[in-house]
Amino acid sequence: MSAAAAIVIFAVAYVLIAAERIPRTTVALGGAALMLLLHITDAEAAFFSEETGVDWNVVFLLLGMMVIVSVLRQTGVFEYVAIWAAKRARGRPYRLMVMLVLLTASASALLDNVTTVLLVAPVTFLVCERLALNPVPYLIAEVMAANIGGTATLVGDPPNIIIASRGNLSFNDFLIHLAPLVVVLIAVFCLLCRVLFRSAFRYDPERAAEVMQLEEREAITDRRLLVQGLAVLGVVVVAFVLHPVLHYEPSVVALLGAGLLVAATKVTTEQALDEVEWPTLVFFMGLFVMVGGLVETGVIGGISERAAEATEGRLAFAAMLLLWASAGLSAIVDNIPYVATMSPIVADLVHAAGPDGQVLWWSLALGADLGGNATAIGASANVVVLGIAARNGHPISFWHFTRYGVVVTLITVALCVPYLWLRYL
């Protein structure tokens, strides 16, 4: 009975989020409240469980990085990067998109995809304003590039951290096994952008000429604060990369960096918190509780176990099914709780398959990370970008995002099939 109620609540909430008639934060909070009210889950499971509760590591990672970005915004550094990028692209819209896609994908491999879009989005709004371009296609392309690029490393996408922990995999394992494929996927994605967003590439020679006359150094308004901000951000990035050695969670690193930056500079607490996307953080909390209800009642686990039973003893079939099923399910629920639920089952399958079974970890990572591109709530970075876009007066609807996301997901996941087959099977 509880499982049926959990499915109904989640399905209704998902439809309401997609319909966009009610603010998504309201829907997520309402769904979470019903899960608790009907005893589908409880306070212990919703707020304190790593498997079925709010993922506070994600929430506080976002909060910490939002504070750091808020402080950096006051230095003019985003205007500097925007002018620099526009000048290097010579005002050409498609060339600019390729630059931003490559920048985002590369940064996502070293940072995580959520942190990257928090840093790149402000630049996008400024450069598009300078060139009289609609920022929405650029934001969509960037978040998809972040999800693809983040697949390459252990720290690039939160699900990879979970997979590495369960599978005893190192930073270098991800780099060796996934990075070569990601390079190909990004190249293909750049070509896809030319087709998917062709209507957005309208060149304005007058605007381009104006931008070429600008001096990017004049955009910096507070050099002392810039040096302090970049120093803290640099330390945070290094700590992210050294996570396997230092064993500090990214959320802890981000909060320490944010606290240090506010304490060591003239920026007030009110100024630092002013740019935080509170509705986005609350939406995540509600979403985690709803998905936790599905996990708590065994809905997601039941689906995963049936899939595991169907593939027992057939490694190639298991790898392909895991790849596509993960992509499909990650499009519906956020890929973080999905991977947290699925990883123990995959661990059992890998153990049963022996040394060759490691391919199942790569199938799970590729399916979950790339499947996150399919819908507006498939990955944490997507939700963050939609929140930033709405805050800046350029709302992106669920279906607007999804109509591009489904195409990108199908093509990128399809390209994973020959890679996995030829290299591992």
Side-chain angles (χ1 to χ4, degrees), residues 29-50:
L29 281 178
L34 285 174
M35 291 282 189
L36 291 164
L37 183 65
L38 298 177
H39 296 292
I40 294 170
T41 186
D42 56 27
E44 183 70 27
F47 306 127
F48 303 104
S49 171
E50 292 185 7

Side-chain angles (χ1 to χ4, degrees), residues 104-113 144-158 160-161 170-186 362 365-366 369-370 419 423:
T104 305
S106 301
S108 289
L110 294 176
L111 303 171
D112 64 280
N113 51 11
M144 291 182 181
N147 290 331
I148 296 171
T151 307
T153 66
L154 185 154
V155 298
D157 209 349
N160 289 5
I161 298 174
S170 69
F171 187 92
N172 288 337
D173 286 330
F174 279 84
L175 205 61
I176 293 168
H177 292 277
L178 297 185
L181 173 61
V182 168
V183 171
V184 175
L185 295 181
I186 286 295
W362 309 133
L366 290 169
D369 294 347
L370 299 178
Y419 177 81
R423 184 167 180 179

Side-chain angles (χ1 to χ4, degrees), residues 132-371:
L133 296 170
N134 179 7
V136 169
Y138 291 84
L139 290 170
I140 293 174
E142 286 161 10
V143 72
M144 291 182 181
N147 290 331
I148 296 171
T151 307
T153 66
L154 185 154
V155 298
D157 209 349
N160 289 5
I161 298 174
I162 299 171
I163 290 171
S165 176
R166 282 283 185 177
N168 196 28
L169 302 170
S170 69
F171 187 92
N172 288 337
D173 286 330
F174 279 84
L175 205 61
I176 293 168
H177 292 277
L178 297 185
L181 173 61
V182 168
V183 171
V184 175
L185 295 181
I186 286 295
V188 171
F189 180 65
C190 286
L191 298 176
L192 269 178
C193 287
R194 182 74 179 183
V195 178
L196 292 175
F197 305 112
R198 57 186 178 278
S199 61
F201 302 137
R202 295 178 180 174
Y203 178 63
D204 186 333
E206 292 184 5
R207 287 275 191 158
E210 290 175 8
V211 168
M212 294 303 293
Q213 298 302 316
L214 294 174
E215 178 52 60
E216 53 264 42
R217 292 185 180 181
E218 295 177 1
I220 302 299
T221 56
D222 191 330
R223 294 185 183 277
R224 177 182 172 83
L225 183 59
L226 175 62
V227 171
Q228 292 172 320
L230 290 180
V232 170
L233 180 61
V235 172
V236 168
V237 171
V238 170
F240 282 165
V241 175
L242 294 179
H243 171 266
V245 177
L246 300 176
H247 302 294
Y248 287 114
E249 292 295 332
S251 56
V252 175
V253 173
L255 283 177
L256 288 173
L260 175 62
L261 196 54
V262 174
T265 64
K266 62 184 180 181
V267 177
T268 66
T269 305
E270 290 75 15
Q271 290 174 320
L273 295 177
D274 187 53
E275 295 292 327
V276 172
E277 298 284 337
W278 296 110
T280 299
L281 297 181
V282 175
F283 173 77
F284 270 124
M285 295 178 200
L287 185 64
F288 278 127
V289 172
M290 285 196 295
V291 173
L294 294 177
V295 176
E296 184 79 5
T297 55
V299 173
I300 293 180
I303 294 171
S304 302
E305 286 173 9
R306 286 183 178 84
E309 290 171 3
T311 61
E312 191 172 355
R314 294 175 289 176
L315 184 60
F317 180 57
M320 294 300 109
L321 181 60
L322 187 59
L323 173 70
W324 286 101
S326 297
L329 288 171
S330 292
I332 299 170
V333 300
D334 187 277
N335 55 14
I336 296 173
Y338 167 74
V339 169
T341 304
M342 194 65 191
S343 54
I345 298 167
V346 174
D348 291 340
L349 290 174
V350 171
H351 179 72
D356 294 334
Q358 195 180 60
V359 64
L360 298 176
W361 288 122
W362 309 133
S363 293
L364 177 62
L366 290 169
D369 294 347
L370 299 178

